[in-house]
Amino acid sequence: MINLLEAAGLVALGAGGTLLWAYLRWGRPWGRMAESLEEVESGNFRTLLPNFQHREQARCLRALDDLRQQMLLQQQRISSEDFDLKAILGGMVEGVMVLDASGKIRLANKRLTEILHLTSPPVGKTILEATLNKDLREICQQAFAEGEVLNFPLMLEHPRDRFLEINAVRLSEVTGKPAGVVMVCHDVTRIRELEKVRKEFVANVSHELRTPLSVIKGYVETLLDLDLADQAQTRKFLEIIEKHTHRLSSLIGDVLELSQLESNKLKLRPHPVRLPELCEKVLLSLQPLAEKRSIRIELTPVAHPAEVLVDVKLIERVIYNLLDNALKYTPVGGHIRILYRQDPETATLSVSDNGVGIPPADLPRVFERFYRVDKSRSNEVSGTGLGLSIAKHIVQNHGGRIWVESLPGKGSTFSFLIPFSSAAKSSAS
């Protein structure tokens, strides 16, 4: 007969077995499910869920798995949209900034930081903290208040003058409540500069045309009123008219040539030539003018110059323009030196004079159309004012570059280089 102690042991053993069975059937699966929920909550939507046999547990498992799949798809969609947004904003030439309702910057693309020259990331700051520009803050405040697309011009002076066009519009929630402002910055500096160049070009052409036309008109009217029996006087007037007619023809020709060069529509006809030999040919045509002003032109001899493949007539025009420019600004009795040098990749030609020189402030502009360093001498110095600009575009069309070095009162050196593998060479092949 079982005593009480043994009976109690059997009861305890049975109860323990029951609890163990209950834990294995119910407790451990729910614990594993709780762990899976914690994984999903932490953002790990790819976690593997446990496999349950009990019906109620299986229902919970299916519901949890459906939730996990939806959240995984949502995460993938958000990630894809975020990638698309970054790709679009990163590829834009405009600067984009998004502000929330509190005025803090939520988003700004790289182009915006470049346009505004921001030295630190702007996200999380107010627009005034990020840009230190009161005008931009007022633009965003006005857009937030009015709710319409606004357009503002803006000029920034640091680190250099830049012109911007700012578009700003208020963002609204579904309920219509203001949610922030999106601002787009367009850098129109280049457009403004081109407009300025165009206006200056029109004004300069008009000025250059006005003088010879006025002279021609005046002398024609004088001839009409003159006694044509005075042949000497008549011939003198006709020679003046011829001179200014030639000036008009040269100006129109240079303008048309420059237009072709700037539009890159000029077809190069490359041929092999040695630049020193081309210089000698140009010197023959300019020698009478040099002798008339007692200017000595020295061409430094070169041993075994290599041939470069270029449009001979155009490069001859470049050399002529540089030498002609040097003769105009070199004093009587001065001297001009032509230096040629080459390396395995390029051929370089320099024209140096001991003339008046060019002030440092004018150096960046000497290749502009109609630009003259000394405006007071513009009527004294013959020419259309387009020679250096034409030379620059010819050299650039050959894949080369042209530059100037000068000291006021000491003289100037104009140089250009042409690569042996130039654009002319590629167009020939």
Side-chain angles (χ1 to χ4, degrees), residues 167-197:
N167 295 105
V169 63
R170 186 176 70 192
L171 299 174
S172 299
E173 297 177 353
V174 178
T175 59
K177 182 180 177 181
V181 172
V182 60
M183 184 181 73
V184 180
C185 298
H186 308 264
D187 191 341
V188 295
T189 304
R190 180 60 179 164
I191 296 174
R192 291 289 186 93
E193 290 174 348
L194 291 175
E195 288 177 354
K196 181 182 177 182
V197 169

Side-chain angles (χ1 to χ4, degrees), residues 120-313:
S120 61
V123 176
K125 302 176 183 177
T126 66
I127 193 167
L128 186 60
E129 291 171 343
T131 66
L132 303 179
N133 190 296
K134 294 181 179 179
D135 293 329
L136 286 175
R137 182 185 63 178
E138 292 175 2
I139 290 171
C140 290
Q141 289 176 342
Q142 186 174 343
F144 190 84
E146 297 185 11
E148 298 178 356
V149 178
L150 304 178
N151 179 270
F152 298 88
L154 182 67
M155 179 180 176
L156 301 179
E157 298 180 352
H158 181 76
R160 61 181 180 86
D161 289 350
R162 283 165 297 131
F163 297 93
L164 307 180
E165 289 287 341
I166 308 295
N167 295 105
V169 63
R170 186 176 70 192
L171 299 174
S172 299
E173 297 177 353
V174 178
T175 59
K177 182 180 177 181
V181 172
V182 60
M183 184 181 73
V184 180
C185 298
H186 308 264
D187 191 341
V188 295
T189 304
R190 180 60 179 164
I191 296 174
R192 291 289 186 93
E193 290 174 348
L194 291 175
E195 288 177 354
K196 181 182 177 182
V197 169
R198 179 184 60 81
K199 290 177 182 178
E200 289 180 350
F201 179 70
V202 172
N204 286 325
V205 169
S206 300
H207 174 75
E208 294 291 336
L209 291 173
R210 185 182 297 114
T211 301
L213 284 174
S214 298
V215 172
I216 293 171
K217 181 175 180 293
Y219 279 98
V220 168
E221 291 174 350
T222 303
L223 281 173
L224 292 174
D225 296 334
L226 189 69
D227 183 3
L228 297 181
D230 189 350
Q231 294 186 1
Q233 191 73 5
T234 300
R235 182 177 181 82
K236 178 182 177 182
F237 287 170
L238 288 175
E239 287 175 350
I240 295 173
I241 291 173
E242 182 187 29
K243 174 185 175 183
H244 286 276
T245 302
H246 179 71
R247 182 180 176 184
L248 277 177
S249 177
S250 297
L251 177 61
I252 293 170
D254 284 352
V255 169
L256 291 175
E257 183 179 8
L258 186 60
S259 176
Q260 279 188 310
L261 290 167
E262 289 183 332
S263 63
N264 294 321
K265 294 180 179 179
L266 188 66
K267 185 176 180 180
L268 301 178
R269 295 175 174 82
H271 294 281
V273 67
R274 294 180 175 88
L275 292 184
E277 295 176 2
L278 205 56
C279 285
E280 292 176 355
K281 180 181 176 181
V282 174
L283 281 175
L284 289 176
S285 63
L286 289 173
Q287 196 61 40
L289 179 59
E291 292 177 353
K292 182 179 179 180
R293 303 190 61 209
S294 301
I295 295 175
R296 179 170 55 89
I297 303 178
E298 175 189 356
L299 175 58
T300 304
V302 180
H304 310 296
E307 289 185 337
V308 61
L309 200 61
V310 296
D311 189 308
V312 177
K313 288 187 177 180

Side-chain angles (χ1 to χ4, degrees), residues 3-60:
N3 59 32
L4 291 177
L5 184 59
E6 291 175 341
L10 290 173
V11 171
L13 182 62
T18 302
L19 290 173
L20 177 60
W21 176 85
Y23 169 75
L24 292 175
R25 182 173 177 81
W26 296 99
R28 188 167 64 176
W30 289 117
R32 291 169 61 191
M33 185 176 289
E35 292 173 358
S36 299
L37 282 170
E38 290 173 353
E39 286 287 324
V40 172
E41 182 184 15
S42 66
N44 183 12
F45 305 128
R46 299 182 183 274
T47 183
L48 295 177
L49 299 181
N51 186 18
F52 298 140
Q53 302 298 324
H54 193 273
R55 185 177 61 183
E56 296 301 325
Q57 293 172 341
R59 286 180 59 192
C60 291

